[in-house]
Amino acid sequence: MTTLAHLQENVAIILPEHGLREKLARASKENRPLVIKLGFDPTAPDLHLGHAVVLKKLRAFQELGHQVVIIVGNFTAQIGDPTGKNKSRKPLSKEAVMENAATYIRQLSRIIDTGKCRVVFNGEWLDRLTFNEILQLLSKVTVAQLLHRNDFNKRFTENVPIAMHELMYPILQAFDSVEIKADIEMGGTDQLFNCTTGRHLQEAHDLEPQIVMCMPLLRGLDGVEKMSKSLNNIIGLTDTPEDMFGKTMSIPDHLITEYIDLATDFSEDERSALRERLSSGENPMHIKKLIAGNIVRQYHDAGSAEAAEAFFINQFQRKVFEEKTFDMVLIASLGLKDLTVPLLDVCHRLKQDETRSGIRRLIVNGAVTLDNEKRVDPVELVRLKSGMRVKIGKRLFVELV
RNA sequence: GGGCAGGUUCCAGAGUGGCCAAAUGGGGCGGACUGUAAAUCCGCUGUCUACGACUUCAUAGGUUCGAAUCCUAUCCUGCCCA
């Protein structure tokens, strides 16, 4: 595969179409690395496989010696990217920004070489703009252009409020490209508008416009929406091997080919082999196991991948209760006064993220099992003893000790 | 600035004095089935010291035996006019 083909693999949108070839040629002639821009908002950062799609592409550039510039949008975060969801965000404290940036970069380092990245904060230049300069910027973009953007257009036609400052978001993000003289801006396809606005602004500032490269949006566990923390459908880069494996197994079958292409690092041959097996009618579960194993291997290691698969098979596929893996929990650590307590209390101690009402419902609905016997009475008194095995819902297995 | 419409539980969206913790759908959760897939069926979906109590229908007051529903003020949004 040629370098160009490699760089363009899986890319959903590239503008202008042949721009990348020219950029690469120019860079090598001038003997300089290309500046590749990646921006993020320092709101609670939890990177997932969807981000990884973009990051892997970034890594490909990095491996060729190009310069990745990470822009921490500490200024733009105050607005919040109106893409998709439309909630205005609260300003973050400076400490929170720094801390989030640090976690973000720590997670990035799982995929790209952060040691070689330049990290900048866009407050550095955006904070300093005078009103005059802002007006200059605004004069470069028309309302019609902004309304072209899908989410604005949609909200506008549906009479959903759009605050003026939200309209600024793409423009400010675009100005970042001017500031760092980006050669290429990467993002998901949902970033298309923001990125092309970068091109416009660069041209208006007599800079060579950046190439826009948008990666497809990986869909999340629900099989419909893009992977996104707020939709609670992510496979996180920092998930445990078991979770990664299990979550991958739970994706709907129609997502399999998408995951083969975007989430695994199989070779081209291996991929087509998998697709072949899938279309020949093999049980999709087998293919998913291979995908899941591959994913775990990428973010953990081969040993964890094997263990995760074994865990999955035993925990969820085989039906033998006695042989499942139970998390050990000290009875003493539950903070109960007595060893004979209502079932509700025990379960609540074991699953504290749930309200007592929620636990009560779980019990009544038959989600709770004591030593493999269903218990449906929340006030039933149970005598706790070492070795007692409690199962709550599909995933919580606990052995008291 | 004027006129009109509106702000309901995770979302959409009913409800216009008591039968309302609030229809219906979606989502989520749980159970059955299964491949932690899809489809299907059933149940749950404000909180709690739980056959009762408490807090919710933009906010603050008020009328009433009783309000999400009526009145007043305030805040917010959309549309139209200027």
Side-chain angles (χ1 to χ4, degrees):
Chain A
M1 199 185 290
T2 66
T3 302
L4 191 63
H6 175 56
L7 289 176
Q8 299 198 146
E9 188 187 20
N10 278 336
V11 174
I13 304 169
I14 181 158
L15 288 174
E17 208 173 332
H18 301 295
L20 184 58
R21 183 202 305 266
E22 288 162 26
K23 278 277 188 192
L24 288 167
R26 181 121 15 98
S28 84
K29 200 162 93 188
E30 294 170 6
N31 196 26
R32 65 172 181 97
L34 292 173
V35 173
I36 323 282
K37 170 188 172 191
L38 175 73
F40 88 100
D41 275 354
T43 43
D46 266 303
L47 296 197
H48 50 69
L49 293 188
H51 294 111
V53 175
V54 176
L55 294 174
K56 284 180 188 168
K57 187 57 69 181
L58 221 47
R59 180 174 62 195
F61 278 100
Q62 201 172 37
E63 281 164 354
L64 292 167
H66 297 293
Q67 174 69 56
V68 171
V69 178
I70 294 164
I71 298 186
V72 181
N74 61 327
F75 188 93
T76 33
Q78 295 173 39
I79 300 176
D81 188 351
T83 300
K85 289 283 172 185
N86 49 11
K87 286 173 193 143
S88 307
R89 294 184 183 154
K90 296 181 199 113
L92 293 160
S93 74
K94 192 168 180 172
E95 296 73 49
V97 168
M98 295 311 289
E99 197 184 314
N100 287 343
T103 13
Y104 182 85
I105 288 164
R106 201 176 318 121
Q107 291 180 56
L108 282 184
S109 71
R110 286 178 180 241
I111 300 181
I112 62 178
D113 183 345
T114 47
K116 289 182 180 158
C117 295
R118 191 156 77 92
V119 180
V120 289
F121 292 74
N122 69 3
E124 269 173 47
W125 51 85
L126 293 179
D127 257 329
R128 255 190 244 130
L129 290 177
T130 64
F131 201 70
N132 218 309
E133 290 168 319
I134 294 169
L135 289 178
Q136 285 299 314
L137 274 183
L138 290 177
S139 71
K140 311 294 187 205
V141 183
T142 69
V143 173
Q145 282 165 355
L146 285 173
L147 285 181
H148 249 73
R149 198 178 120 140
N150 287 347
D151 2 52
F152 287 145
N153 191 9
K154 189 161 178 275
R155 283 163 66 184
F156 187 70
T157 52
E158 289 174 2
N159 291 339
V160 178
I162 304 171
M164 286 296 289
H165 72 299
E166 294 185 86
L167 294 173
M168 294 284 300
Y169 189 94
I171 300 170
L172 296 179
Q173 178 175 332
F175 186 68
D176 292 345
S177 293
V178 173
E179 193 62 32
I180 67 163
K181 298 186 171 56
D183 288 300
I184 300 177
E185 177 160 7
M186 303 256 342
T189 49
D190 56 346
Q191 290 294 311
L192 178 62
F193 182 86
N194 296 354
C195 296
T196 51
T197 306
R199 282 174 63 79
H200 291 141
L201 279 195
Q202 285 175 314
E203 279 185 299
H205 286 79
D206 293 321
L207 295 169
E208 188 185 310
Q210 64 188 4
I211 307 297
V212 175
M213 289 182 77
C214 296
M215 302 304 293
L217 297 176
L218 185 70
R219 279 177 291 176
L221 302 180
D222 55 277
V224 180
E225 302 292 339
K226 70 173 178 184
M227 194 175 276
S228 150
K229 176 110 190 283
S230 55
L231 295 173
N232 203 4
N233 63 359
I234 70 169
I235 300 177
L237 259 33
T238 54
D239 280 353
T240 62
E242 291 77 21
D243 272 356
M244 267 191 182
F245 197 97
K247 284 181 178 180
T248 306
M249 291 308 291
S250 79
I251 61 168
D253 289 354
H254 67 263
L255 248 51
I256 291 179
T257 50
E258 190 172 320
Y259 272 61
I260 291 176
D261 288 335
L262 300 178
T264 70
D265 64 355
F266 285 127
S267 72
E268 191 45 52
D269 288 346
E270 290 169 314
R271 291 179 196 194
S272 44
L274 286 180
R275 278 190 287 263
E276 188 58 38
R277 287 169 64 179
L278 193 61
S279 57
S280 71
E282 184 169 346
N283 186 342
M285 178 190 60
H286 300 320
I287 314 295
K288 277 204 271 192
K289 278 186 178 169
L290 294 171
I291 297 172
N294 178 282
I295 290 174
V296 177
R297 220 171 296 127
Q298 284 179 71
Y299 303 102
H300 295 278
D301 55 72
S304 312
E306 267 179 51
E309 176 160 3
F311 176 82
F312 174 81
I313 291 171
N314 189 57
Q315 202 77 350
F316 302 113
Q317 292 195 306
R318 294 183 62 209
K319 299 295 179 196
V320 188
F321 182 83
E322 288 71 22
E323 293 177 14
K324 300 213 179 290
T325 304
F326 294 82
D327 289 332
M328 299 296 177
V329 170
L330 286 170
I331 295 176
S333 73
L334 296 179
L336 296 167
K337 292 188 207 92
D338 208 333
L339 285 184
T340 302
V341 290
L343 181 59
L344 177 62
D345 290 14
V346 188
C347 294
H348 185 53
R349 301 317 302 179
L350 293 174
K351 193 169 166 55
Q352 301 191 0
D353 57 332
E354 193 53 89
T355 61
R356 287 179 70 82
S357 297
I359 297 287
R360 182 181 294 269
R361 278 179 230 123
L362 282 171
I363 296 173
V364 173
N365 284 334
V368 172
T369 271
L370 244 45
D371 286 327
N372 207 17
E373 273 179 48
K374 195 174 276 194
R375 302 300 182 94
V376 294
D377 179 8
V379 296
E380 174 193 358
L381 292 175
V382 295
R383 191 181 303 111
L384 304 182
K385 56 175 195 288
S386 185
M388 177 177 265
R389 292 175 152 183
V390 187
K391 174 172 177 266
I392 305 176
K394 288 171 177 155
R395 267 170 267 168
L396 188 61
F397 295 81
V398 170
E399 177 168 341
L400 301 177
V401 285

